[in-house]
Amino acid sequence: VVGSVVVSTTTISRTYYEVLEISSDATLTDVKKAYRRLAVLHHPDRNIGNEEYATLKFREINEAYTI
């Protein structure tokens, strides 16, 4: 448990589109916008007190964007 959020170590199989919260027919511009929006939202420096969860989420978002 991190703060008031439960962090699970089990991996849920999700597509990169689901991670970035976009449709599979999204344009490159849509992908960039979604990445930037989520990266700012889940950046560990912006989630004081919940850094561990934010770090995991931020890494997941980065992985989805770099592929």
Side-chain angles (χ1 to χ4, degrees):
V1 176
V2 176
S4 62
V5 177
V6 176
V7 177
S8 175
T9 58
T10 59
T11 303
I12 299 172
S13 179
R14 297 184 342 159
T15 68
Y16 293 131
Y17 295 109
E18 291 171 334
V19 171
L20 294 175
E21 300 175 1
I22 55 176
S23 66
S24 60
D25 61 348
T27 65
L28 184 57
T29 302
D30 294 335
V31 173
K32 278 185 178 181
K33 284 180 184 178
Y35 166 75
R36 289 181 180 155
R37 178 180 56 82
L38 292 171
V40 167
L41 182 65
H42 294 291
H43 195 281
D45 291 345
R46 295 188 62 132
N47 287 280
I48 305 302
N50 203 12
E51 292 93 352
E52 188 175 338
Y53 172 76
T55 300
L56 293 173
K57 190 73 173 167
F58 189 72
R59 286 181 184 161
E60 181 182 38
I61 293 163
N62 277 325
E63 180 183 343
Y65 180 69
T66 58
I67 299 292

Short mmCIF file of all heavy atoms in Angstrom, two decimals:
data_model
loop_
_atom_site.label_atom_id
_atom_site.label_comp_id
_atom_site.label_asym_id
_atom_site.label_seq_id
_atom_site.Cartn_x
_atom_site.Cartn_y
_atom_site.Cartn_z
N VAL A 1 0.86 -1.18 0.00
CA VAL A 1 0.00 0.00 0.00
C VAL A 1 0.90 1.23 0.00
O VAL A 1 1.79 1.35 0.80
CB VAL A 1 -0.93 0.02 1.22
CG1 VAL A 1 -1.75 1.28 1.26
CG2 VAL A 1 -1.81 -1.19 1.25
N VAL A 2 0.62 2.13 -0.92
CA VAL A 2 1.36 3.38 -1.01
C VAL A 2 0.35 4.49 -0.77
O VAL A 2 -0.55 4.69 -1.56
CB VAL A 2 2.01 3.53 -2.40
CG1 VAL A 2 2.69 4.88 -2.50
CG2 VAL A 2 3.00 2.41 -2.66
N GLY A 3 0.53 5.21 0.31
CA GLY A 3 -0.46 6.24 0.65
C GLY A 3 -1.80 5.57 0.84
O GLY A 3 -1.95 4.67 1.63
N SER A 4 -2.78 5.98 0.06
CA SER A 4 -4.09 5.36 0.15
C SER A 4 -4.39 4.54 -1.10
O SER A 4 -5.51 4.12 -1.31
CB SER A 4 -5.17 6.43 0.33
OG SER A 4 -5.17 7.28 -0.80
N VAL A 5 -3.37 4.31 -1.92
CA VAL A 5 -3.55 3.57 -3.16
C VAL A 5 -2.85 2.23 -3.03
O VAL A 5 -1.71 2.15 -2.61
CB VAL A 5 -2.95 4.35 -4.36
CG1 VAL A 5 -3.06 3.55 -5.64
CG2 VAL A 5 -3.64 5.69 -4.51
N VAL A 6 -3.54 1.17 -3.40
CA VAL A 6 -2.95 -0.16 -3.38
C VAL A 6 -2.20 -0.36 -4.68
O VAL A 6 -2.73 -0.17 -5.76
CB VAL A 6 -4.04 -1.25 -3.22
CG1 VAL A 6 -3.42 -2.63 -3.29
CG2 VAL A 6 -4.79 -1.04 -1.93
N VAL A 7 -0.93 -0.74 -4.56
CA VAL A 7 -0.10 -0.99 -5.73
C VAL A 7 0.07 -2.49 -5.85
O VAL A 7 0.56 -3.14 -4.94
CB VAL A 7 1.28 -0.30 -5.60
CG1 VAL A 7 2.15 -0.64 -6.79
CG2 VAL A 7 1.11 1.19 -5.47
N SER A 8 -0.33 -3.03 -6.95
CA SER A 8 -0.25 -4.46 -7.18
C SER A 8 0.97 -4.77 -8.02
O SER A 8 1.33 -4.02 -8.93
CB SER A 8 -1.50 -4.95 -7.91
OG SER A 8 -1.37 -6.31 -8.23
N THR A 9 1.62 -5.88 -7.74
CA THR A 9 2.79 -6.28 -8.52
C THR A 9 2.40 -7.20 -9.67
O THR A 9 3.25 -7.57 -10.46
CB THR A 9 3.83 -6.99 -7.64
OG1 THR A 9 3.21 -8.12 -7.03
CG2 THR A 9 4.37 -6.05 -6.59
N THR A 10 1.13 -7.55 -9.77
CA THR A 10 0.70 -8.40 -10.87
C THR A 10 0.59 -7.58 -12.14
O THR A 10 0.21 -6.42 -12.12
CB THR A 10 -0.67 -9.06 -10.58
OG1 THR A 10 -1.62 -8.04 -10.36
CG2 THR A 10 -0.60 -9.98 -9.39
N THR A 11 0.97 -8.18 -13.24
CA THR A 11 0.94 -7.48 -14.51
C THR A 11 -0.38 -7.76 -15.22
O THR A 11 -0.75 -8.91 -15.40
CB THR A 11 2.11 -7.95 -15.41
OG1 THR A 11 3.32 -7.73 -14.70
CG2 THR A 11 2.13 -7.19 -16.70
N ILE A 12 -1.04 -6.71 -15.60
CA ILE A 12 -2.27 -6.84 -16.35
C ILE A 12 -1.91 -6.59 -17.81
O ILE A 12 -1.29 -5.58 -18.13
CB ILE A 12 -3.34 -5.83 -15.88
CG1 ILE A 12 -3.68 -6.09 -14.41
CG2 ILE A 12 -4.57 -5.89 -16.75
CD1 ILE A 12 -4.56 -5.04 -13.79
N SER A 13 -2.29 -7.49 -18.67
CA SER A 13 -1.95 -7.37 -20.08
C SER A 13 -2.82 -6.29 -20.71
O SER A 13 -4.02 -6.45 -20.86
CB SER A 13 -2.16 -8.71 -20.77
OG SER A 13 -1.85 -8.59 -22.13
N ARG A 14 -2.18 -5.18 -21.06
CA ARG A 14 -2.88 -4.07 -21.71
C ARG A 14 -2.08 -3.66 -22.93
O ARG A 14 -0.87 -3.76 -22.94
CB ARG A 14 -3.00 -2.86 -20.78
CG ARG A 14 -3.81 -3.15 -19.56
CD ARG A 14 -4.05 -1.99 -18.65
NE ARG A 14 -3.17 -0.86 -18.80
CZ ARG A 14 -3.47 0.37 -18.38
NH1 ARG A 14 -4.61 0.60 -17.78
NH2 ARG A 14 -2.63 1.35 -18.53
N THR A 15 -2.77 -3.18 -23.92
CA THR A 15 -2.08 -2.70 -25.11
C THR A 15 -1.51 -1.32 -24.82
O THR A 15 -1.94 -0.64 -23.89
CB THR A 15 -3.02 -2.62 -26.32
OG1 THR A 15 -3.98 -1.59 -26.09
CG2 THR A 15 -3.70 -3.94 -26.60
N TYR A 16 -0.56 -0.90 -25.63
CA TYR A 16 0.01 0.43 -25.47
C TYR A 16 -1.04 1.50 -25.72
O TYR A 16 -1.00 2.57 -25.13
CB TYR A 16 1.21 0.61 -26.39
CG TYR A 16 2.38 -0.27 -25.99
CD1 TYR A 16 3.04 -1.05 -26.93
CD2 TYR A 16 2.82 -0.32 -24.68
CE1 TYR A 16 4.11 -1.85 -26.56
CE2 TYR A 16 3.89 -1.11 -24.30
CZ TYR A 16 4.53 -1.88 -25.25
OH TYR A 16 5.58 -2.66 -24.87
N TYR A 17 -1.99 1.21 -26.58
CA TYR A 17 -3.08 2.16 -26.83
C TYR A 17 -3.91 2.35 -25.56
O TYR A 17 -4.31 3.47 -25.23
CB TYR A 17 -3.98 1.68 -27.96
CG TYR A 17 -3.29 1.64 -29.30
CD1 TYR A 17 -2.97 0.42 -29.90
CD2 TYR A 17 -2.94 2.81 -29.97
CE1 TYR A 17 -2.33 0.38 -31.13
CE2 TYR A 17 -2.30 2.78 -31.19
CZ TYR A 17 -2.00 1.57 -31.77
OH TYR A 17 -1.36 1.54 -32.99
N GLU A 18 -4.15 1.27 -24.84
CA GLU A 18 -4.91 1.37 -23.60
C GLU A 18 -4.13 2.14 -22.54
O GLU A 18 -4.71 2.93 -21.80
CB GLU A 18 -5.27 -0.02 -23.08
CG GLU A 18 -6.28 -0.74 -23.94
CD GLU A 18 -6.45 -2.20 -23.54
OE1 GLU A 18 -5.53 -2.81 -22.97
OE2 GLU A 18 -7.54 -2.72 -23.83
N VAL A 19 -2.84 1.92 -22.48
CA VAL A 19 -2.00 2.64 -21.52
C VAL A 19 -2.06 4.14 -21.79
O VAL A 19 -2.19 4.94 -20.87
CB VAL A 19 -0.53 2.14 -21.59
CG1 VAL A 19 0.38 3.04 -20.76
CG2 VAL A 19 -0.44 0.70 -21.14
N LEU A 20 -2.02 4.51 -23.07
CA LEU A 20 -2.06 5.93 -23.44
C LEU A 20 -3.48 6.47 -23.54
O LEU A 20 -3.68 7.65 -23.84
CB LEU A 20 -1.32 6.15 -24.76
CG LEU A 20 0.19 5.90 -24.70
CD1 LEU A 20 0.80 6.02 -26.09
CD2 LEU A 20 0.87 6.84 -23.73
N GLU A 21 -4.47 5.61 -23.31
CA GLU A 21 -5.89 5.98 -23.33
C GLU A 21 -6.31 6.58 -24.67
O GLU A 21 -6.97 7.62 -24.73
CB GLU A 21 -6.19 6.96 -22.19
CG GLU A 21 -5.90 6.38 -20.82
CD GLU A 21 -6.07 7.37 -19.69
OE1 GLU A 21 -6.45 8.53 -19.94
OE2 GLU A 21 -5.81 6.98 -18.54
N ILE A 22 -5.91 5.91 -25.75
CA ILE A 22 -6.26 6.35 -27.10
C ILE A 22 -6.78 5.17 -27.90
O ILE A 22 -6.60 4.01 -27.51
CB ILE A 22 -5.05 6.98 -27.84
CG1 ILE A 22 -3.87 6.00 -27.85
CG2 ILE A 22 -4.66 8.30 -27.20
CD1 ILE A 22 -2.66 6.49 -28.62
N SER A 23 -7.42 5.45 -29.04
CA SER A 23 -7.92 4.37 -29.89
C SER A 23 -6.78 3.84 -30.76
O SER A 23 -5.77 4.52 -30.97
CB SER A 23 -9.07 4.87 -30.76
OG SER A 23 -8.60 5.84 -31.67
N SER A 24 -6.97 2.66 -31.29
CA SER A 24 -5.92 2.02 -32.09
C SER A 24 -5.71 2.70 -33.44
O SER A 24 -4.71 2.46 -34.10
CB SER A 24 -6.23 0.53 -32.29
OG SER A 24 -7.45 0.39 -32.96
N ASP A 25 -6.62 3.56 -33.84
CA ASP A 25 -6.45 4.28 -35.10
C ASP A 25 -5.99 5.72 -34.88
O ASP A 25 -6.11 6.57 -35.76
CB ASP A 25 -7.73 4.25 -35.93
CG ASP A 25 -8.91 4.90 -35.24
OD1 ASP A 25 -8.83 5.19 -34.04
OD2 ASP A 25 -9.93 5.13 -35.92
N ALA A 26 -5.40 5.99 -33.72
CA ALA A 26 -4.94 7.34 -33.38
C ALA A 26 -3.77 7.74 -34.27
O ALA A 26 -2.96 6.92 -34.67
CB ALA A 26 -4.50 7.38 -31.92
N THR A 27 -3.70 9.02 -34.55
CA THR A 27 -2.61 9.57 -35.35
C THR A 27 -1.39 9.78 -34.45
O THR A 27 -1.49 9.73 -33.22
CB THR A 27 -2.99 10.91 -35.98
OG1 THR A 27 -3.18 11.87 -34.92
CG2 THR A 27 -4.25 10.80 -36.83
N LEU A 28 -0.25 10.04 -35.07
CA LEU A 28 0.97 10.31 -34.32
C LEU A 28 0.78 11.54 -33.42
O LEU A 28 1.26 11.56 -32.28
CB LEU A 28 2.15 10.52 -35.27
CG LEU A 28 3.51 10.73 -34.63
CD1 LEU A 28 3.86 9.56 -33.72
CD2 LEU A 28 4.57 10.90 -35.69
N THR A 29 0.07 12.51 -33.91
CA THR A 29 -0.22 13.71 -33.11
C THR A 29 -1.05 13.35 -31.88
O THR A 29 -0.79 13.85 -30.77
CB THR A 29 -0.96 14.76 -33.96
OG1 THR A 29 -0.15 15.08 -35.09
CG2 THR A 29 -1.24 16.02 -33.16
N ASP A 30 -2.04 12.47 -32.05
CA ASP A 30 -2.87 12.03 -30.92
C ASP A 30 -2.02 11.29 -29.89
O ASP A 30 -2.22 11.45 -28.68
CB ASP A 30 -3.99 11.10 -31.40
CG ASP A 30 -5.00 11.79 -32.28
OD1 ASP A 30 -5.15 13.03 -32.17
OD2 ASP A 30 -5.64 11.09 -33.10
N VAL A 31 -1.09 10.47 -30.37
CA VAL A 31 -0.21 9.72 -29.47
C VAL A 31 0.65 10.68 -28.66
O VAL A 31 0.77 10.55 -27.43
CB VAL A 31 0.67 8.73 -30.26
CG1 VAL A 31 1.69 8.07 -29.35
CG2 VAL A 31 -0.19 7.67 -30.95
N LYS A 32 1.23 11.68 -29.32
CA LYS A 32 2.06 12.67 -28.62
C LYS A 32 1.27 13.44 -27.58
O LYS A 32 1.73 13.65 -26.45
CB LYS A 32 2.67 13.66 -29.61
CG LYS A 32 3.88 13.18 -30.30
CD LYS A 32 4.46 14.30 -31.16
CE LYS A 32 5.73 13.84 -31.84
NZ LYS A 32 6.32 14.92 -32.65
N LYS A 33 0.07 13.87 -27.93
CA LYS A 33 -0.77 14.62 -27.00
C LYS A 33 -1.13 13.78 -25.78
O LYS A 33 -1.08 14.26 -24.65
CB LYS A 33 -2.04 15.09 -27.68
CG LYS A 33 -1.85 16.25 -28.61
CD LYS A 33 -3.17 16.66 -29.25
CE LYS A 33 -2.98 17.76 -30.26
NZ LYS A 33 -4.26 18.13 -30.91
N ALA A 34 -1.50 12.53 -26.03
CA ALA A 34 -1.88 11.64 -24.93
C ALA A 34 -0.68 11.38 -24.02
O ALA A 34 -0.80 11.42 -22.79
CB ALA A 34 -2.40 10.32 -25.48
N TYR A 35 0.49 11.16 -24.62
CA TYR A 35 1.70 10.93 -23.83
C TYR A 35 2.00 12.13 -22.95
O TYR A 35 2.24 11.99 -21.75
CB TYR A 35 2.89 10.62 -24.74
CG TYR A 35 4.20 10.71 -24.01
CD1 TYR A 35 4.58 9.71 -23.12
CD2 TYR A 35 5.03 11.81 -24.16
CE1 TYR A 35 5.76 9.80 -22.41
CE2 TYR A 35 6.22 11.91 -23.45
CZ TYR A 35 6.58 10.90 -22.59
OH TYR A 35 7.75 11.00 -21.88
N ARG A 36 2.00 13.30 -23.54
CA ARG A 36 2.34 14.51 -22.76
C ARG A 36 1.35 14.75 -21.63
O ARG A 36 1.74 15.11 -20.52
CB ARG A 36 2.42 15.71 -23.69
CG ARG A 36 3.63 15.66 -24.58
CD ARG A 36 3.71 16.85 -25.48
NE ARG A 36 4.90 16.76 -26.33
CZ ARG A 36 5.03 17.34 -27.49
NH1 ARG A 36 4.04 18.07 -27.97
NH2 ARG A 36 6.13 17.21 -28.18
N ARG A 37 0.07 14.56 -21.92
CA ARG A 37 -0.96 14.76 -20.91
C ARG A 37 -0.77 13.79 -19.74
O ARG A 37 -0.77 14.18 -18.57
CB ARG A 37 -2.35 14.57 -21.53
CG ARG A 37 -3.51 14.71 -20.56
CD ARG A 37 -4.85 14.51 -21.26
NE ARG A 37 -4.96 13.25 -21.96
CZ ARG A 37 -5.28 12.09 -21.37
NH1 ARG A 37 -5.52 12.05 -20.08
NH2 ARG A 37 -5.38 10.98 -22.08
N LEU A 38 -0.56 12.51 -20.06
CA LEU A 38 -0.41 11.51 -19.01
C LEU A 38 0.93 11.62 -18.28
O LEU A 38 1.00 11.37 -17.08
CB LEU A 38 -0.58 10.11 -19.61
CG LEU A 38 -1.98 9.79 -20.11
CD1 LEU A 38 -1.99 8.47 -20.88
CD2 LEU A 38 -2.96 9.72 -18.95
N ALA A 39 1.98 12.00 -19.00
CA ALA A 39 3.29 12.14 -18.38
C ALA A 39 3.26 13.25 -17.33
O ALA A 39 3.82 13.10 -16.23
CB ALA A 39 4.35 12.43 -19.44
N VAL A 40 2.61 14.35 -17.64
CA VAL A 40 2.50 15.45 -16.67
C VAL A 40 1.62 15.01 -15.49
O VAL A 40 1.96 15.24 -14.33
CB VAL A 40 1.91 16.71 -17.33
CG1 VAL A 40 1.50 17.74 -16.30
CG2 VAL A 40 2.92 17.30 -18.31
N LEU A 41 0.54 14.35 -15.78
CA LEU A 41 -0.39 13.91 -14.73
C LEU A 41 0.24 12.91 -13.76
O LEU A 41 0.02 12.98 -12.55
CB LEU A 41 -1.63 13.27 -15.39
CG LEU A 41 -2.73 12.79 -14.46
CD1 LEU A 41 -3.36 13.96 -13.72
CD2 LEU A 41 -3.78 12.04 -15.25
N HIS A 42 1.06 11.99 -14.28
CA HIS A 42 1.61 10.92 -13.45
C HIS A 42 3.09 11.09 -13.13
O HIS A 42 3.71 10.16 -12.63
CB HIS A 42 1.39 9.57 -14.14
CG HIS A 42 -0.05 9.20 -14.24
ND1 HIS A 42 -0.82 8.87 -13.15
CD2 HIS A 42 -0.88 9.16 -15.31
CE1 HIS A 42 -2.05 8.60 -13.55
NE2 HIS A 42 -2.12 8.78 -14.85
N HIS A 43 3.66 12.25 -13.39
CA HIS A 43 5.08 12.46 -13.09
C HIS A 43 5.30 12.38 -11.58
O HIS A 43 4.55 12.98 -10.81
CB HIS A 43 5.55 13.81 -13.63
CG HIS A 43 7.04 13.91 -13.66
ND1 HIS A 43 7.79 14.18 -12.55
CD2 HIS A 43 7.91 13.75 -14.69
CE1 HIS A 43 9.06 14.19 -12.87
NE2 HIS A 43 9.16 13.93 -14.17
N PRO A 44 6.32 11.64 -11.14
CA PRO A 44 6.57 11.47 -9.69
C PRO A 44 6.76 12.80 -8.95
O PRO A 44 6.35 12.91 -7.79
CB PRO A 44 7.84 10.64 -9.64
CG PRO A 44 7.87 9.90 -10.93
CD PRO A 44 7.23 10.82 -11.94
N ASP A 45 7.35 13.79 -9.58
CA ASP A 45 7.56 15.08 -8.93
C ASP A 45 6.25 15.82 -8.67
O ASP A 45 6.19 16.71 -7.84
CB ASP A 45 8.48 15.98 -9.76
CG ASP A 45 9.91 15.47 -9.79
OD1 ASP A 45 10.25 14.61 -8.94
OD2 ASP A 45 10.67 15.91 -10.67
N ARG A 46 5.22 15.47 -9.40
CA ARG A 46 3.91 16.12 -9.23
C ARG A 46 2.98 15.31 -8.33
O ARG A 46 1.85 15.70 -8.11
CB ARG A 46 3.26 16.33 -10.59
CG ARG A 46 4.07 17.31 -11.44
CD ARG A 46 3.34 17.65 -12.66
NE ARG A 46 2.08 18.31 -12.30
CZ ARG A 46 1.64 19.43 -12.84
NH1 ARG A 46 2.34 20.01 -13.75
NH2 ARG A 46 0.49 19.94 -12.49
N ASN A 47 3.44 14.17 -7.86
CA ASN A 47 2.61 13.31 -7.01
C ASN A 47 3.30 13.07 -5.68
O ASN A 47 3.63 11.93 -5.31
CB ASN A 47 2.35 11.98 -7.74
CG ASN A 47 1.38 12.14 -8.86
OD1 ASN A 47 0.19 12.19 -8.65
ND2 ASN A 47 1.89 12.26 -10.08
N ILE A 48 3.52 14.13 -4.95
CA ILE A 48 4.18 14.06 -3.65
C ILE A 48 3.32 13.21 -2.71
O ILE A 48 2.11 13.37 -2.63
CB ILE A 48 4.37 15.47 -3.06
CG1 ILE A 48 5.13 16.36 -4.04
CG2 ILE A 48 5.08 15.40 -1.70
CD1 ILE A 48 6.49 15.85 -4.45
N GLY A 49 3.97 12.27 -2.06
CA GLY A 49 3.27 11.38 -1.14
C GLY A 49 2.80 10.11 -1.82
O GLY A 49 2.35 9.18 -1.16
N ASN A 50 2.89 10.05 -3.12
CA ASN A 50 2.46 8.88 -3.87
C ASN A 50 3.47 8.58 -4.98
O ASN A 50 3.11 8.18 -6.07
CB ASN A 50 1.07 9.14 -4.45
CG ASN A 50 0.32 7.87 -4.75
OD1 ASN A 50 0.72 6.79 -4.34
ND2 ASN A 50 -0.77 7.98 -5.49
N GLU A 51 4.75 8.83 -4.67
CA GLU A 51 5.80 8.74 -5.67
C GLU A 51 5.98 7.33 -6.24
O GLU A 51 6.25 7.18 -7.43
CB GLU A 51 7.15 9.21 -5.11
CG GLU A 51 7.22 10.68 -4.81
CD GLU A 51 6.87 11.00 -3.37
OE1 GLU A 51 6.43 10.08 -2.64
OE2 GLU A 51 7.00 12.17 -2.99
N GLU A 52 5.83 6.31 -5.40
CA GLU A 52 6.06 4.94 -5.87
C GLU A 52 5.04 4.56 -6.96
O GLU A 52 5.42 4.06 -8.02
CB GLU A 52 5.97 3.96 -4.72
CG GLU A 52 6.38 2.55 -5.12
CD GLU A 52 6.40 1.60 -3.93
OE1 GLU A 52 6.51 2.07 -2.78
OE2 GLU A 52 6.31 0.39 -4.16
N TYR A 53 3.78 4.82 -6.71
CA TYR A 53 2.75 4.52 -7.72
C TYR A 53 2.96 5.37 -8.97
O TYR A 53 2.88 4.87 -10.09
CB TYR A 53 1.35 4.78 -7.15
CG TYR A 53 0.27 4.66 -8.19
CD1 TYR A 53 -0.15 3.41 -8.65
CD2 TYR A 53 -0.30 5.80 -8.76
CE1 TYR A 53 -1.13 3.30 -9.63
CE2 TYR A 53 -1.27 5.69 -9.73
CZ TYR A 53 -1.69 4.45 -10.16
OH TYR A 53 -2.64 4.35 -11.14
N ALA A 54 3.25 6.66 -8.77
CA ALA A 54 3.45 7.56 -9.89
C ALA A 54 4.64 7.12 -10.74
O ALA A 54 4.60 7.19 -11.97
CB ALA A 54 3.65 8.99 -9.40
N THR A 55 5.70 6.64 -10.10
CA THR A 55 6.87 6.18 -10.83
C THR A 55 6.53 4.97 -11.70
O THR A 55 6.93 4.91 -12.87
CB THR A 55 8.01 5.83 -9.86
OG1 THR A 55 8.36 7.01 -9.12
CG2 THR A 55 9.23 5.30 -10.60
N LEU A 56 5.78 4.03 -11.14
CA LEU A 56 5.38 2.84 -11.91
C LEU A 56 4.51 3.24 -13.10
O LEU A 56 4.70 2.77 -14.22
CB LEU A 56 4.63 1.86 -11.02
CG LEU A 56 5.45 1.19 -9.92
CD1 LEU A 56 4.53 0.38 -9.01
CD2 LEU A 56 6.52 0.32 -10.52
N LYS A 57 3.56 4.11 -12.86
CA LYS A 57 2.66 4.56 -13.92
C LYS A 57 3.42 5.36 -14.98
O LYS A 57 3.21 5.18 -16.18
CB LYS A 57 1.54 5.42 -13.29
CG LYS A 57 0.44 5.75 -14.22
CD LYS A 57 -0.42 4.53 -14.47
CE LYS A 57 -1.63 4.94 -15.27
NZ LYS A 57 -2.34 3.80 -15.81
N PHE A 58 4.34 6.21 -14.54
CA PHE A 58 5.14 7.02 -15.46
C PHE A 58 6.00 6.13 -16.35
O PHE A 58 6.11 6.36 -17.55
CB PHE A 58 6.00 7.99 -14.64
CG PHE A 58 6.72 9.01 -15.46
CD1 PHE A 58 6.03 10.05 -16.06
CD2 PHE A 58 8.09 8.96 -15.62
CE1 PHE A 58 6.68 11.01 -16.81
CE2 PHE A 58 8.76 9.91 -16.37
CZ PHE A 58 8.05 10.93 -16.96
N ARG A 59 6.59 5.10 -15.78
CA ARG A 59 7.41 4.16 -16.58
C ARG A 59 6.56 3.43 -17.60
O ARG A 59 6.99 3.21 -18.73
CB ARG A 59 8.11 3.16 -15.66
CG ARG A 59 9.25 3.75 -14.90
CD ARG A 59 9.92 2.73 -14.02
NE ARG A 59 10.96 3.36 -13.24
CZ ARG A 59 11.46 2.83 -12.15
NH1 ARG A 59 11.02 1.66 -11.72
NH2 ARG A 59 12.41 3.46 -11.48
N GLU A 60 5.36 3.02 -17.19
CA GLU A 60 4.45 2.33 -18.11
C GLU A 60 4.08 3.25 -19.29
O GLU A 60 4.08 2.82 -20.44
CB GLU A 60 3.19 1.91 -17.34
CG GLU A 60 2.18 1.18 -18.18
CD GLU A 60 0.93 0.83 -17.39
OE1 GLU A 60 0.48 1.65 -16.55
OE2 GLU A 60 0.40 -0.27 -17.61
N ILE A 61 3.80 4.50 -19.00
CA ILE A 61 3.46 5.47 -20.04
C ILE A 61 4.65 5.70 -20.98
O ILE A 61 4.49 5.73 -22.20
CB ILE A 61 2.99 6.79 -19.39
CG1 ILE A 61 1.67 6.58 -18.66
CG2 ILE A 61 2.87 7.90 -20.43
CD1 ILE A 61 1.33 7.67 -17.67
N ASN A 62 5.84 5.83 -20.42
CA ASN A 62 7.04 6.02 -21.23
C ASN A 62 7.30 4.83 -22.14
O ASN A 62 7.66 5.00 -23.30
CB ASN A 62 8.26 6.27 -20.36
CG ASN A 62 8.38 7.70 -19.93
OD1 ASN A 62 8.03 8.60 -20.68
ND2 ASN A 62 8.88 7.92 -18.74
N GLU A 63 7.12 3.62 -21.62
CA GLU A 63 7.32 2.43 -22.42
C GLU A 63 6.33 2.40 -23.59
O GLU A 63 6.71 2.10 -24.73
CB GLU A 63 7.14 1.17 -21.57
CG GLU A 63 7.33 -0.10 -22.37
CD GLU A 63 7.10 -1.36 -21.54
OE1 GLU A 63 7.09 -1.28 -20.29
OE2 GLU A 63 6.90 -2.41 -22.14
N ALA A 64 5.09 2.71 -23.32
CA ALA A 64 4.07 2.71 -24.38
C ALA A 64 4.40 3.73 -25.45
O ALA A 64 4.19 3.49 -26.64
CB ALA A 64 2.70 2.99 -23.78
N TYR A 65 4.92 4.87 -25.05
CA TYR A 65 5.22 5.93 -26.02
C TYR A 65 6.46 5.60 -26.85
O TYR A 65 6.48 5.90 -28.04
CB TYR A 65 5.42 7.25 -25.29
CG TYR A 65 5.72 8.40 -26.22
CD1 TYR A 65 4.76 8.89 -27.08
CD2 TYR A 65 6.98 8.99 -26.23
CE1 TYR A 65 5.02 9.94 -27.95
CE2 TYR A 65 7.25 10.04 -27.10
CZ TYR A 65 6.28 10.51 -27.95
OH TYR A 65 6.55 11.54 -28.81
N THR A 66 7.46 5.00 -26.27
CA THR A 66 8.71 4.75 -26.99
C THR A 66 8.59 3.63 -28.01
O THR A 66 9.42 3.52 -28.90
CB THR A 66 9.86 4.43 -26.04
OG1 THR A 66 9.53 3.31 -25.23
CG2 THR A 66 10.19 5.63 -25.16
N ILE A 67 7.58 2.80 -27.93
CA ILE A 67 7.41 1.69 -28.88
C ILE A 67 6.75 2.16 -30.11
O ILE A 67 6.48 2.86 -30.77
CB ILE A 67 6.55 0.56 -28.29
CG1 ILE A 67 7.20 0.00 -27.06
CG2 ILE A 67 6.25 -0.50 -29.30
CD1 ILE A 67 8.48 -0.77 -27.29
#
